[in-house]
Amino acid sequence: MSSAPTTLDFTNIVGLETARQALLLLAVNPALGGAAIAARVGSGKSTLVRAFAALLPPGTPFIELPLSITEDRLLGGLDLEATLIKGAPVFEPGVLARAHGGVLYVDNANRLEPSVAAVLAEAMSNGYVRVEREGLSAIQPARFLLIATYDPEEGDLPLSLLDRLGLIVPLSAQGDAATRAEVVRRNLHPAHDEDESNMLRAMIVAARELLPRVQLPDDHLAALVQTAMALGVEGNRADVFAAQAALASAALEGREVVDEDDLQRAVRLVLLPRATQAPTENQPAPQPPTAPRATGTAEEEGEDETQSEAERPIQELLLEAAQAALPPNLLDLPFAAQRRGRRGSRGQTLNARRGRYVRAVIGDVHGGRIALLPTLLAAAPWQPLRRAANEKRVHVRRDDLRVKRYRDKAGTLYIFAVDASGSMAINRMREAKGAALRLLQDAYVHRDQVALIAFRGQGAQVLLPPSQSVERARRELDVLPTGGGTPLASALLTAWHLAKQARERGIAQVTLVLMTDGRANVGLHAPPGDRQRLREEVQQLAARLRADGVNAIVLDTQVNYLSRNEAPQLAQWLGGRYVYLPNARAEQIANALSQSAQAV
Amino acid sequence: MTTRTVAHPYPFTAIVGQEEMKLCLLLNVVDPRIGGVMIMGHRGTGKSTTVRALADVLPMITRLAGDPFNRAPEDVPEHDPLLALVGIHERPHKTEKVPVPVVDLPLGATEDRVCGTIDIEAALTQGVKRFQPGLLAQANRGFLYIDEVNLLEDHLVDVLLDVAASGWNVVEREGISVRHPARFVLVGSGNPEEGELRPQLLDRFGLHARIVTITDLEQRMEIVRRRRAYDADPEAFYAQWQPQQRALQRRIVAAQKRLPEVIIPDDVLMFAAELCMKLNVDGHRGELTLARAACALAALEGRNRVTLDDVRRVAVPALRHRLRRDPLETMDSGEKVAQAVSELLARRNHRAAERPAELLETA
């Protein structure tokens, strides 16, 4: 429960300066909820977090959350041993309740199961944990700080969780040579600077005391809110976090009034990572409601440059700083990326032991997890026979054992690969979109997902990654490119990648819907015009998809039936169905799909 | 950090903006027959804060003392089989006043705790078969709230909808057979980007509120200020909002009392029907919800007569989820409803201007 062993003091860790700042703010102001820290493997992020824990007052719980944790360990549940001995249900608090008043740390948090992430998010917004499981009902306080570290290369944090972590530290650029050398030097010769650690501790205590008295002037607050709006930050929670971060920053610096540096820090750690758009030039900049701005000392100094600085609205300064700090590609930011659907969606079940526990069945213990309540219920009627006189403990025999059966949540993934080249492309794309949306109408029932690939010109492009959301599909599919060559092989390869990723997320069924006339003229490696090699590429990829068990249906959209046999040939290679649908309508496509689904 | 397990929830009356969501909830308090509300919107827009805040402004109900099913005394017979099933062998004669329950369905709740199941302790220690009521029993005559509806197991959603529609919870599991009243207003919330809700599910909620991030600077600043005050000292903040909270509570009680007296004039009813026809809403649930919500709104504002304006104000949340789904439609269904309302109103005004005499006659 107490701090984990550390190899380095908090003060000794170099190269993670922003993360360190964030953790200090968190230590000062628990209203920030937590921090997400993106860093590469081996950057020392875990060491930093553990060293941070050592700075907290003695006795503060610090719990490292294992990724494999189950919902019942998280929330609490039946204490099997105590229950068996006492002969009556005994509740054992879960990790969330044990973290109350302390810190919960998750490394590789991008790999958290969605259900676990959702439970964490719920506990964070409530401040308590409520358990209504397996015959037990309990409510326990659970106010904790959550620190999540992850390597963005491996995936993003679930947005529902990220949204509740006040501070987000994006991946920092590789440090310069001097910093890197310093990392090595300090690791080789860790200087145990007790004094410095003690000083930090004292600073945190003093800042916590100061915090309730720190003032946030209205024009400063207005500047934060306007910056959030300009960056397209979703929801109003971020405003609150930004204000709390600015207050904590001021408290840490021993200031009683938030100043521009504090605002900048709040923008960098709270608002910027949540941006979904770059601040636009023509953004209407409403005037702060309260006219008088804090008059800095700079003005009195009368220096030309500083004077003009002080005269500019704070909001402008903040926006400028934000603009400078934005990554060149906005999609490197988690909210922007997921907003536009260019990166991972909600994960699905991975194996038989995941998903939601539905029913308990009589079974072999080695085949699954024991369902405690049903097991005890099965044992209950026999207790008078099995017990000695005056004995309380419960006798459970092998026959009583019940194991949990999980429901596989995954449905089918339909991948639409649409030939976006040629004159009929617009038509084809529109109808494909209609069919995709039609399938999604039922998606909630079947847990089906839809993805859409367009291919034209030099390659294929995923317009819509696997998704269940009609809203998202409608938005993503609004802009559709057309024209150019037909890179069929690239489309097949892209489809194969999507199918593979789907498999990893537990979606067993993948159906590829290919809308084309089958005439490939742009290859992956084949030189243009080399019909033989173009053909071979397509054939190989089709065979690969077939071998991997991807169902396929080829919709031939050629208007003039020229009997070139290319689309039927493709269907044959894919081991799928061939349907001739010139001027295919959305309904016809959807019907063809449901027919082939029944055939499967 | 407070020592209470659950700090005072954020006061309902201190919530800034999001008027549609607040109105939908209040209308359901005034008339539970409206059939619940589904709230969809972005993260961090105060959905769950608002629903959880509702409890504090709800009126009190009278129930049989200690009844785990929250029943009114007159609904419990002298020899009540349900009481016997939970191990109460003599019917209490006292009554008690309790606040209208708002039961929060936590994530990870299992079916046995939602519906109720065999009392494991009684089974193990005494070898008797007893019923341990679940959350549905607790929610009887109150509200049941499901946050993140999209994350809930499908079959659990189905159970909840069935019970909400019938008002009865039937438990047949682990050798227990129980049927108990479970009348509650179902409130759900979720984020549309986490996965769409199936249309059949949406249909069964009376109202559908959609909320977005507030963009008014002054409102957003006020949210931050109030939140800071609340986080710093929930008890003091709660105390500060007491007058507004109690005033709203009184308004709700008065509206509930007034509701049976509220009349809806024929031409207003006609307008509701025309609107549903214009929007091609199937069945009669649309008109019915529209009428009930409009009556509740009039009652809430202390009026005995429903006006066209009442219908206009509730039309979007009452109808937006009942339109036929056209996958290629890009216009938001709420906008479509609003547009139909204003078109119908304009036509009406036009007619009124042309034939004032006729209208006077019918009035």
Side-chain angles (χ1 to χ4, degrees):
Chain A
M1 290 279 274
S2 67
S3 66
T6 60
T7 50
L8 284 173
D9 285 340
F10 192 65
T11 47
N12 258 322
I13 294 166
V14 282
L16 284 167
E17 195 40 48
T18 317
R20 195 203 334 230
Q21 271 182 24
L23 291 178
L24 283 174
L25 295 186
L26 200 58
V28 171
N29 192 351
L32 288 167
I37 299 170
R40 298 258 183 262
V41 175
S43 58
K45 53 185 165 27
S46 312
T47 314
L48 180 76
V49 175
R50 289 186 195 118
F52 165 73
L55 281 183
L56 299 172
T60 304
F62 177 81
I63 301 180
E64 292 193 33
L65 193 73
L67 289 173
S68 59
I69 193 153
T70 54
E71 260 180 45
D72 51 334
R73 293 303 310 129
L74 202 59
L75 292 163
L78 212 55
D79 181 335
L80 183 60
E81 199 181 349
T83 300
L84 291 180
I85 291 168
K86 195 182 163 217
V90 176
F91 177 75
E92 188 188 15
V95 168
L96 295 179
R98 283 197 281 127
H100 179 61
V103 176
L104 201 58
Y105 172 45
V106 201
D107 192 15
N108 296 319
N110 53 298
R111 298 215 295 260
L112 273 179
E113 253 185 84
S115 63
V116 169
V119 167
L120 278 172
E122 189 181 57
M124 290 188 75
S125 66
N126 289 344
Y128 56 84
V129 54
R130 249 184 82 216
V131 182
E132 298 287 352
R133 299 167 66 80
E134 308 195 27
L136 291 164
S137 179
I139 181 162
Q140 296 182 296
R143 284 187 184 280
F144 52 83
L145 299 174
L146 182 73
I147 301 175
T149 55
Y150 68 110
D151 182 347
E153 285 276 272
E154 294 185 354
D156 290 317
L157 294 192
L159 282 194
S160 56
L161 192 59
L162 200 56
D163 182 47
R164 290 193 163 81
L165 301 175
L167 306 170
I168 301 174
V169 183
L171 194 63
S172 58
Q174 289 287 337
D176 54 24
T179 313
R180 298 179 77 143
E182 182 69 9
V183 172
V184 176
R185 196 181 64 77
R186 295 234 185 163
N187 267 288
L188 290 175
H189 310 287
H192 271 285
D193 198 339
E194 268 304 306
D195 288 348
E196 216 175 327
S197 289
N198 283 337
M199 201 189 72
L200 267 182
R201 254 183 227 119
M203 255 175 75
I204 292 171
V205 171
R208 277 189 176 220
E209 258 166 42
L210 177 59
L211 184 68
R213 297 198 306 276
V214 179
Q215 303 284 316
L216 176 58
D218 268 351
D219 59 333
H220 286 35
L221 175 56
L224 279 180
V225 172
Q226 285 170 344
T227 307
M229 288 197 262
L231 291 169
V233 176
E234 180 182 298
N236 304 102
R237 205 194 317 263
D239 299 353
V240 177
F241 282 142
Q244 293 289 4
L247 290 165
S249 166
L252 202 57
E253 305 282 338
R255 285 193 276 268
E256 294 207 5
V257 179
V258 166
D259 76 4
E260 270 165 35
D261 289 344
D262 302 322
L263 296 181
Q264 298 248 15
R265 198 173 278 172
V267 169
R268 198 169 63 245
L269 289 172
V270 179
L271 299 180
L272 205 60
R274 288 173 161 83
T276 62
Q277 66 187 41
T280 40
E281 292 298 329
N282 53 1
Q283 188 82 24
Q287 282 305 304
T290 43
R293 246 189 335 272
T295 46
T297 45
E299 227 165 327
E300 284 136 45
E301 281 168 25
E303 233 176 305
D304 272 350
E305 206 184 318
T306 37
Q307 185 155 24
S308 64
E309 281 284 293
E311 270 170 13
R312 291 170 57 200
I314 304 163
Q315 193 229 345
E316 245 174 64
L317 291 175
L318 284 186
L319 269 183
E320 211 165 84
Q323 192 121 37
L326 271 178
N329 184 0
L330 204 62
L331 297 186
D332 285 343
L333 296 173
F335 284 87
Q338 297 199 20
R339 196 89 204 262
R340 307 200 179 176
R342 289 290 178 263
R343 264 199 264 171
S345 61
R346 212 150 55 90
Q348 286 283 350
T349 55
L350 253 175
N351 60 46
R353 293 199 187 191
R354 293 193 176 194
R356 211 169 268 271
Y357 154 50
V358 180
R359 290 241 175 263
V361 292
I362 298 178
D364 181 9
V365 197
H366 304 292
R369 293 199 178 119
I370 297 178
L372 290 179
L373 181 71
T375 301
L376 289 173
L377 283 172
W382 307 101
Q383 296 309 305
L385 290 173
R386 293 178 189 169
R387 267 178 195 156
N390 293 330
E391 196 191 17
K392 264 189 168 176
R393 60 178 291 251
V394 180
H395 296 255
V396 176
R397 306 222 169 127
R398 183 179 293 271
D399 296 352
D400 303 330
L401 291 176
R402 300 289 184 272
V403 292
K404 291 176 178 181
R405 173 170 286 175
Y406 294 84
R407 173 176 289 192
D408 184 14
K409 282 216 293 187
T412 301
L413 168 64
Y414 289 97
I415 303 173
F416 287 81
V418 186
D419 188 345
S421 63
S423 56
M424 292 311 290
I426 292 181
N427 228 350
R428 242 185 329 247
M429 294 300 290
R430 194 178 55 228
E431 299 305 332
K433 175 184 169 180
L437 287 168
R438 219 163 269 263
L439 278 175
L440 281 176
Q441 302 283 299
D442 295 332
Y444 191 86
V445 184
H446 300 303
R447 296 256 172 224
D448 292 342
Q449 299 195 3
V450 168
L452 196 136
I453 299 168
F455 55 104
R456 54 102 207 233
Q458 288 309 303
Q461 184 193 2
V462 179
L463 288 182
L464 176 73
S467 169
Q468 263 191 305
S469 166
V470 176
E471 191 159 301
R472 195 161 136 189
R474 194 170 283 149
R475 199 174 52 220
E476 302 301 332
L477 303 182
D478 264 349
V479 192
L480 298 171
T482 52
T486 307
L488 185 56
S490 172
L492 292 176
L493 185 65
T494 308
W496 181 78
H497 276 301
L498 283 182
K500 193 168 149 254
Q501 284 162 12
R503 288 275 151 74
E504 282 164 8
R505 286 181 291 124
I507 299 171
Q509 286 267 6
V510 180
T511 297
L512 170 64
V513 185
L514 200 56
M515 294 176 71
T516 180
D517 52 16
R519 244 172 305 163
N521 55 23
V522 178
L524 284 173
H525 306 291
D530 187 342
R531 300 189 63 86
Q532 181 59 28
R533 288 212 33 209
L534 284 169
R535 211 175 125 90
E536 277 168 18
E537 275 184 354
V538 170
Q539 187 176 0
Q540 275 171 14
L541 285 163
R544 185 91 184 246
L545 282 159
R546 183 181 188 173
D548 285 350
V550 173
N551 301 316
I553 169 165
V554 177
L555 302 179
D556 190 347
T557 51
Q558 235 181 133
V559 185
N560 305 316
Y561 194 62
L562 296 170
S563 80
R564 298 173 68 146
N565 277 331
E566 277 168 328
Q569 174 70 71
L570 183 60
Q572 204 193 338
W573 286 337
L574 283 162
R577 251 156 53 92
Y578 168 80
V579 181
Y580 178 58
L581 277 181
N583 309 316
R585 302 302 311 264
E587 300 101 87
Q588 291 175 310
I589 299 168
N591 286 342
L593 285 180
S594 60
Q595 278 166 24
S596 66
Q598 279 157 18
V600 171
Chain B
M1 276 173 212
T2 71
T3 45
R4 294 167 56 118
T5 303
V6 183
H8 270 301
Y10 193 86
F12 190 87
T13 45
I15 290 162
V16 178
Q18 307 299 11
E19 301 304 330
E20 182 178 282
M21 163 170 61
K22 289 193 279 192
L23 182 64
C24 286
L25 287 169
L26 291 179
L27 295 179
N28 271 287
V29 180
V30 175
D31 187 358
R33 292 171 305 168
I34 287 172
V37 51
M38 167 66 80
I39 304 161
M40 292 294 266
H42 290 156
R43 289 177 201 89
T45 43
K47 299 183 292 283
S48 57
T49 305
T50 310
V51 181
R52 290 185 179 126
L54 190 63
D56 192 59
V57 292
L58 294 180
M60 307 288 270
I61 50 168
T62 307
R63 74 165 182 198
L64 188 74
D67 184 40
F69 307 96
N70 283 331
R71 287 170 297 174
E74 60 270 23
D75 292 339
V76 188
E78 193 52 45
H79 298 285
D80 179 48
L82 280 177
L83 285 179
L85 259 175
V86 295
I88 302 173
H89 296 290
E90 209 157 310
R91 181 191 186 279
H93 286 278
K94 278 191 192 153
T95 62
E96 60 187 345
K97 287 220 173 231
V98 289
V100 168
V102 177
V103 176
D104 203 329
L105 190 83
L107 277 173
T110 52
E111 196 179 338
D112 58 80
R113 277 303 303 141
V114 173
C115 301
T117 188
I118 187 168
D119 183 333
I120 177 79
E121 182 156 6
L124 282 176
T125 56
Q126 301 159 45
V128 296
K129 213 188 261 183
R130 219 181 256 166
F131 180 62
Q132 186 190 17
L135 300 177
L136 293 179
Q138 280 175 33
N140 189 29
R141 298 170 71 200
F143 285 71
L144 186 71
Y145 174 45
I146 320 167
D147 193 9
E148 306 280 6
V149 181
N150 347 33
L151 298 183
L152 202 68
E153 181 67 28
D154 288 357
H155 88 276
L156 209 49
V157 175
D158 288 333
V159 167
L160 291 172
L161 285 170
D162 285 345
V163 176
S166 69
W168 289 92
N169 177 32
V170 182
V171 182
E172 293 283 354
R173 55 186 295 153
E174 268 116 25
I176 282 250
S177 178
V178 186
R179 183 172 184 271
H180 71 74
R183 298 196 166 279
F184 52 82
V185 174
L186 197 59
V187 179
S189 67
N191 182 332
E193 305 212 342
E194 296 267 1
E196 198 76 5
L197 290 174
R198 56 185 152 148
Q200 305 92 299
L201 185 92
L202 261 181
D203 278 356
R204 294 170 74 171
F205 284 86
L207 305 177
H208 178 26
R210 298 211 85 144
I211 54 174
V212 290
T213 305
I214 293 173
T215 50
D216 179 83
L217 178 66
E218 196 39 61
Q219 279 194 355
R220 282 177 73 145
M221 289 170 65
E222 190 56 26
I223 291 175
V224 176
R225 286 189 209 110
R226 289 187 188 173
R227 192 74 213 185
R228 186 187 181 200
Y230 172 79
D231 283 338
D233 191 347
E235 310 291 316
F237 190 77
Y238 177 77
Q240 187 198 330
W241 284 86
Q242 270 299 302
Q244 289 91 325
Q245 292 282 97
R246 300 289 74 86
L248 178 58
Q249 193 176 34
R250 283 193 298 274
R251 207 175 126 209
I252 289 170
V253 173
Q256 284 178 331
K257 239 180 235 153
R258 183 185 291 272
L259 185 67
E261 297 159 23
V262 174
I263 54 157
I264 178 159
D266 278 351
D267 70 318
V268 177
L269 213 48
M270 199 66 162
F271 178 77
E274 278 172 22
L275 181 61
C276 290
M277 279 164 63
K278 186 176 167 70
L279 287 165
N280 278 321
V281 176
D282 296 327
H284 298 288
R285 224 186 281 174
E287 285 103 309
L288 209 57
T289 311
L290 205 52
R292 279 189 176 140
C295 287
L297 178 57
L300 198 60
E301 299 194 336
R303 289 178 280 110
N304 279 2
R305 203 179 166 83
V306 176
T307 63
L308 281 182
D309 199 52
D310 291 326
V311 176
R312 180 189 63 79
R313 283 164 64 191
V314 298
V316 171
L319 297 180
R320 64 148 60 93
H321 53 307
R322 301 176 197 277
L323 308 191
R324 285 222 191 105
R325 296 211 146 200
D326 176 359
L328 297 177
E329 176 66 61
T330 47
M331 191 179 182
D332 176 70
S333 52
E335 278 169 38
K336 227 164 149 183
V337 174
Q339 197 184 332
V341 171
S342 48
E343 277 171 23
L344 270 186
L345 278 177
R347 205 194 298 166
R348 225 163 224 269
N349 291 340
H350 185 68
R351 259 186 302 181
E354 271 183 0
R355 288 174 294 178
E358 216 173 292
L359 231 115
L360 277 175
E361 256 170 59
T362 50

